[in-house]
Amino acid sequence: MLSFTSRRALHNFTTIPGGVSPWQRYFSGVPDTMKAAVVRETGDAHALKVETDFPSPSMGAGQVIVKNQFAGINFIDTYHRAGLYKRDLPFVGGQEGGGTVAAVSEEAASQGIKVGDRVAYSVFGSYAEYTAVPAAKLLPVPDAVGLDVATSCVVQGMTAHYLTTSAHADLIKPDEWCLIHGVGGGTCQWAAQMAKLRGFKVIGTCAKGKSDVAEALGCDELILLDEVPGASYEDYESVDVVAKVMEVTDGKGAKCVIDGIGKSTMDISINSLAHRGIFVSFGNASGAVPPFPVLRLIGKSAYVTRPKLLDYTTTREELVWRAGEVFGWLEEGKLNVSVDTTFPLDQAAEGHLYLEAGKSKGKVLYSM
């Protein structure tokens, strides 16, 4: 059954010439309840509970309802689930999805969006069969790009895009060195490839067990590290990374360091910087970066930034520009995207455990 809101919105619709009603154009049938992975109390992966009778979302003005085919699993989802990043309880997990449009508001329809369109998006609540999405947040998916790959692109691909195009504030130029941690999995697989497309020389760090993946990314240099059993990051004490970076760069260091590891790599990242280089810290895989005195940056007149994706997709134009470049590179075969594993939504906790254990060599998804 359609929700009360849906029925009320269509109360006065009638069939139009040709036998197609506005009902058919605007709705494909959204049930009152749905399956969703819900957090009612923060905690470990088992705090993510699958419910089969969770209320389906209402559609507001300017929104659409997406029937999800895939939802992306990202580290930020584990931070929300664990309570590191605060959310109002209860909440449906996830913030990355892909599927087909199931219902369209009049405002969205006026923009040319229609039922059946293939789309991807990033808004809260994607670990569910249906998600309400503002039309301005929708990314149309080209026919040549699979919905699994498109879903993988929305958070990790777009994050990698802003990290390699914008977050460094143009303090790195083509033919200069960029150090990227953890290129064997997730966002930094994308970032390594995009940094090369930007003309940077790339040093990647990677666990030995993921060297096969990393070697296919086109990095100029790879620093292979021992693994930390059961962790999502490498043993950064197993190799003197700073010494290796200085050797590769003839003692100059990296003009940009892209670091999603966090606590374990903070010192390495800062010490690997070149004169007037920038430390881009965007993740906490090993724990949050602890506070440090800004005076520490004086030795190289260095910069530091702690960015997030929302601040680099502040307008529809910026969102579409970033997505257009990423989808274009995918269509041209310039990006190699690896979907590592797809879990059914019923195995929501297992998906988080898999990601947090560092087992993935690419994107991890839920299927609906």
Side-chain angles (χ1 to χ4, degrees), residues 56 70 105 155 176 283 299 304 349 363:
S56 296
F70 296 100
S105 66
V155 171
E176 293 184 325
V304 63
K363 186 65 181 182

PDB file of all heavy atoms in Angstrom, residues 56 70 105 155 176 283 299 304 349 363:
ATOM      1  N   SER A  56       8.203   3.125   6.115  1.00  0.00           N
ATOM      2  CA  SER A  56       8.809   3.665   4.893  1.00  0.00           C
ATOM      3  C   SER A  56       8.853   5.187   4.986  1.00  0.00           C
ATOM      4  O   SER A  56       8.010   5.800   5.642  1.00  0.00           O
ATOM      5  CB  SER A  56       7.996   3.248   3.670  1.00  0.00           C
ATOM      6  OG  SER A  56       8.019   1.848   3.501  1.00  0.00           O
ATOM      7  N   PHE A  70      21.376  -1.201  -3.953  1.00  0.00           N
ATOM      8  CA  PHE A  70      22.613  -1.358  -3.193  1.00  0.00           C
ATOM      9  C   PHE A  70      22.747  -0.215  -2.186  1.00  0.00           C
ATOM     10  O   PHE A  70      22.230   0.882  -2.407  1.00  0.00           O
ATOM     11  CB  PHE A  70      23.840  -1.334  -4.110  1.00  0.00           C
ATOM     12  CG  PHE A  70      23.905  -2.466  -5.096  1.00  0.00           C
ATOM     13  CD1 PHE A  70      23.520  -2.272  -6.421  1.00  0.00           C
ATOM     14  CD2 PHE A  70      24.351  -3.717  -4.703  1.00  0.00           C
ATOM     15  CE1 PHE A  70      23.574  -3.304  -7.327  1.00  0.00           C
ATOM     16  CE2 PHE A  70      24.411  -4.763  -5.614  1.00  0.00           C
ATOM     17  CZ  PHE A  70      24.026  -4.559  -6.935  1.00  0.00           C
ATOM     18  N   SER A 105       8.139  13.717  -6.380  1.00  0.00           N
ATOM     19  CA  SER A 105       7.326  14.883  -6.041  1.00  0.00           C
ATOM     20  C   SER A 105       7.121  15.742  -7.289  1.00  0.00           C
ATOM     21  O   SER A 105       7.860  15.611  -8.280  1.00  0.00           O
ATOM     22  CB  SER A 105       8.012  15.705  -4.946  1.00  0.00           C
ATOM     23  OG  SER A 105       9.226  16.261  -5.439  1.00  0.00           O
ATOM     24  N   VAL A 155      30.254   7.966  -2.054  1.00  0.00           N
ATOM     25  CA  VAL A 155      31.025   8.453  -0.917  1.00  0.00           C
ATOM     26  C   VAL A 155      32.516   8.294  -1.168  1.00  0.00           C
ATOM     27  O   VAL A 155      33.279   9.264  -1.132  1.00  0.00           O
ATOM     28  CB  VAL A 155      30.614   7.753   0.395  1.00  0.00           C
ATOM     29  CG1 VAL A 155      31.576   8.119   1.524  1.00  0.00           C
ATOM     30  CG2 VAL A 155      29.201   8.165   0.785  1.00  0.00           C
ATOM     31  N   GLU A 176      54.750  16.655  -8.659  1.00  0.00           N
ATOM     32  CA  GLU A 176      55.213  16.661  -7.278  1.00  0.00           C
ATOM     33  C   GLU A 176      54.661  15.436  -6.563  1.00  0.00           C
ATOM     34  O   GLU A 176      53.707  14.797  -7.009  1.00  0.00           O
ATOM     35  CB  GLU A 176      54.792  17.957  -6.579  1.00  0.00           C
ATOM     36  CG  GLU A 176      55.505  19.185  -7.150  1.00  0.00           C
ATOM     37  CD  GLU A 176      55.167  20.470  -6.415  1.00  0.00           C
ATOM     38  OE1 GLU A 176      54.007  20.622  -5.966  1.00  0.00           O
ATOM     39  OE2 GLU A 176      56.066  21.331  -6.306  1.00  0.00           O
ATOM     40  N   GLY A 283      40.309  10.640   7.957  1.00  0.00           N
ATOM     41  CA  GLY A 283      39.690   9.452   8.529  1.00  0.00           C
ATOM     42  C   GLY A 283      40.333   9.022   9.828  1.00  0.00           C
ATOM     43  O   GLY A 283      41.368   9.557  10.249  1.00  0.00           O
ATOM     44  N   GLY A 299      58.445  23.907  11.492  1.00  0.00           N
ATOM     45  CA  GLY A 299      59.709  23.478  10.886  1.00  0.00           C
ATOM     46  C   GLY A 299      59.703  23.544   9.373  1.00  0.00           C
ATOM     47  O   GLY A 299      60.727  23.849   8.756  1.00  0.00           O
ATOM     48  N   VAL A 304      47.788  21.958   7.620  1.00  0.00           N
ATOM     49  CA  VAL A 304      46.983  20.791   7.964  1.00  0.00           C
ATOM     50  C   VAL A 304      45.519  21.137   7.754  1.00  0.00           C
ATOM     51  O   VAL A 304      45.087  22.270   7.989  1.00  0.00           O
ATOM     52  CB  VAL A 304      47.245  20.327   9.421  1.00  0.00           C
ATOM     53  CG1 VAL A 304      46.838  21.403  10.424  1.00  0.00           C
ATOM     54  CG2 VAL A 304      46.517  19.020   9.720  1.00  0.00           C
ATOM     55  N   ALA A 349      25.166  -6.741  10.363  1.00  0.00           N
ATOM     56  CA  ALA A 349      26.280  -6.742  11.324  1.00  0.00           C
ATOM     57  C   ALA A 349      27.533  -7.339  10.688  1.00  0.00           C
ATOM     58  O   ALA A 349      28.649  -6.827  10.887  1.00  0.00           O
ATOM     59  CB  ALA A 349      25.890  -7.524  12.574  1.00  0.00           C
ATOM     60  N   LYS A 363      35.393  -2.038  -2.512  1.00  0.00           N
ATOM     61  CA  LYS A 363      34.146  -1.554  -1.939  1.00  0.00           C
ATOM     62  C   LYS A 363      33.332  -2.701  -1.351  1.00  0.00           C
ATOM     63  O   LYS A 363      33.277  -3.799  -1.916  1.00  0.00           O
ATOM     64  CB  LYS A 363      33.314  -0.846  -3.021  1.00  0.00           C
ATOM     65  CG  LYS A 363      32.067  -0.191  -2.492  1.00  0.00           C
ATOM     66  CD  LYS A 363      32.379   0.935  -1.543  1.00  0.00           C
ATOM     67  CE  LYS A 363      31.110   1.579  -0.987  1.00  0.00           C
ATOM     68  NZ  LYS A 363      31.417   2.695  -0.095  1.00  0.00           N
TER      69      LYS A 363
END
